[in-house]
Amino acid sequence: MFEPGLLKDKVVLVTGGGTGLGRSMSTRFLQLGAQVAITSRRAEVIEKAAQEMTAEAGGQVFATPADVRDPDAVTKMLDAVEAHFGRVDVLVNNAAGNFISPTERLSHRAVDRVLGIVLHGTFYCTLELGKRWIAAGQKGAVLNIATTYAQSGSGYVVPSAVAKAGVVALTKSLAAEWGKYGIRLNAIAPGPFPTEGAWSRLMPTPEIQRLFEERIPLRRMGEHQELANLASYLISDYAGFITGDLISIDGGETAWNAGEFNVLDAVTKEQWDALEALRKKGA
Ligand code: HXC
Ligand code: NAP
């Protein structure tokens, strides 16, 4: 389905591209012919990842560090990517911070940490690059990595839920405002995909992991390649008429949570037989 040159001639910038899902997406973009730039706070992590990705998938990866919470650092990072590749065609806002905690235990600094990375970081990168695209009369695409609970909200990850909801609002708002410049913005809402970064902070024990898996109709976690392929499609020209949308890839988790009778998953075949017998007896 994915032709090798799908992303040929596209320069794709991925924040948080040295680890987890960012790295998997970056590798897939490379395989599909893109030139890829990755950024995150830890220079040594992205430099090593860039070398390994090039060895694995070929092509060119440029690594340049930045803390997306710092607008000046974002400007310098974009200058460096443009100096290296000449331009940027696609921005994937994937960098994030998150942890589980009862909200009443959080300090304002903890709230700021997550909002700073997820909401401000995404906004700063999008704003700086959007200004450059508009000034140059260049078209572009932004893909924001959100979460399933960006729409529903969720306890125990409240700063993340608030920040990701803001990211979805940014996606839809700018899709409306910047469509006239040929700039598309979309977001993906992934269900659980095992990564070291997320699992160490959010799924610390096998028991907690099982709780999540049981709520997914397909009874499994996502595979990185599934997300990477969706992202590749959305940033490709084949998705040229898709903008302002939030696309779920969650094994049915969102649908399951929304339906109040889906708790009947817990009713066994024998219990259904007994209920049916009662109904037939007219009880
Ligand atoms: C409560 C916490 C906390 C925790 C940190 N803090 N961890 N509070 N519970 N588990 C508080 C600290 O006490 C401190 O406040 C403040 O937050 C800043 O903490 P630092 O450790 O100094 O912050 P920093 O080193 O900048 O780290 C930022 C971070 C960290 C967000 C806390 O986890 C990080 O760097 N994460 C990046 C990667 C990441 O999170 N990946 C997962 C994304 S997964 P005080 O008041 O004490 O000074 C994801 C998907 C979700 O988003 C969906 C999965 C299914
Ligand atoms: P991850 O590996 O921890 O990715 C987070 C990345 O963000 C890291 O590379 C980190 O690198 C970077 N980052 C953090 N703070 C930064 C900052 N201030 N400036 C620049 N970069 C920063 O976790 P992941 O699971 O792959 O998550 C990737 C994305 O998917 C996130 O947006 C997450 O919310 C989303 N998501 C994941 C899941 C899942 O199940 N895994 C589910 C839903 C959504 P440095 O530490 O080097 O800065």
Side-chain angles (χ1 to χ4, degrees), residues 30-282:
L30 269 179
Q31 288 167 346
L32 294 169
Q35 296 171 306
V36 176
I38 58 174
T39 190
S40 85
R41 293 168 298 184
R42 293 169 296 166
E44 68 289 358
V45 169
I46 50 173
E47 273 155 21
K48 184 163 177 283
Q51 279 172 12
E52 290 170 358
M53 278 190 260
T54 310
E56 190 188 328
Q60 264 207 69
V61 186
F62 175 64
T64 182
D67 185 329
V68 294
R69 295 172 298 180
D70 175 353
D72 293 333
V74 168
T75 301
K76 284 195 195 112
M77 177 270 290
L78 280 174
D79 286 346
V81 178
E82 286 182 348
H84 188 85
F85 284 127
R87 62 176 201 287
V88 176
D89 300 298
V90 177
L91 167 66
V92 180
N93 284 305
N94 164 81
N98 199 359
F99 44 72
I100 45 172
S101 173
T103 307
E104 65 275 17
R105 293 187 183 206
L106 297 180
S107 70
H108 61 86
R109 282 174 293 276
V111 174
D112 286 353
R113 262 322 187 270
V114 175
L115 283 165
I117 305 169
V118 177
L119 184 55
H120 291 89
T122 299
F123 209 140
Y124 295 157
C125 291
T126 307
L127 184 62
E128 180 62 29
L129 186 57
K131 284 179 180 176
R132 293 177 189 216
W133 281 338
I134 292 165
Q138 195 199 318
K139 293 180 178 178
V142 177
L143 181 63
N144 293 326
I145 307 303
T147 53
T148 50
Y149 54 74
Q151 294 194 98
S152 59
S154 175
Y156 304 100
V157 283
V158 171
S160 172
V162 169
K164 295 284 191 183
V167 167
V168 173
L170 178 73
T171 308
K172 295 186 178 200
S173 305
L174 284 181
E177 190 180 329
W178 286 356
K180 60 180 174 287
Y181 301 119
I183 299 172
R184 294 191 299 116
L185 296 99
N186 289 295
I188 293 180
F193 284 73
T195 66
E196 210 277 313
W199 258 227
S200 62
R201 295 174 175 91
L202 307 165
M203 307 262 182
T205 67
E207 291 73 28
I208 292 181
Q209 286 172 34
R210 261 198 303 282
L211 285 178
F212 278 78
E213 226 162 51
E214 282 162 9
R215 293 166 60 254
I216 299 174
L218 293 179
R219 294 290 186 272
R220 67 171 175 88
M221 305 291 185
E223 289 172 15
H224 285 214
Q225 200 69 345
E226 292 170 327
L227 181 89
N229 281 333
L230 175 61
S232 299
Y233 167 66
L234 286 172
I235 65 168
S236 80
D237 294 339
Y238 284 108
F241 202 51
I242 302 179
T243 191
D245 219 335
L246 171 69
I247 290 138
S248 298
I249 177 163
D250 66 0
E253 183 193 359
T254 305
W256 194 91
N257 279 318
E260 78 183 328
F261 280 87
N262 293 331
V263 290
L264 297 183
D265 260 358
V267 177
T268 63
K269 182 176 176 301
E270 290 69 29
Q271 286 169 325
W272 280 119
D273 290 343
L275 285 170
E276 194 178 339
L278 278 176
R279 180 172 58 81
K280 284 187 178 151
K281 265 191 0 202

Side-chain angles (χ1 to χ4, degrees), residues 4-19:
L6 181 74
L7 301 176
K8 193 169 165 287
D9 299 329
K10 286 202 191 298
V11 178
V12 184
L13 167 62
V14 183
T15 69
T19 66

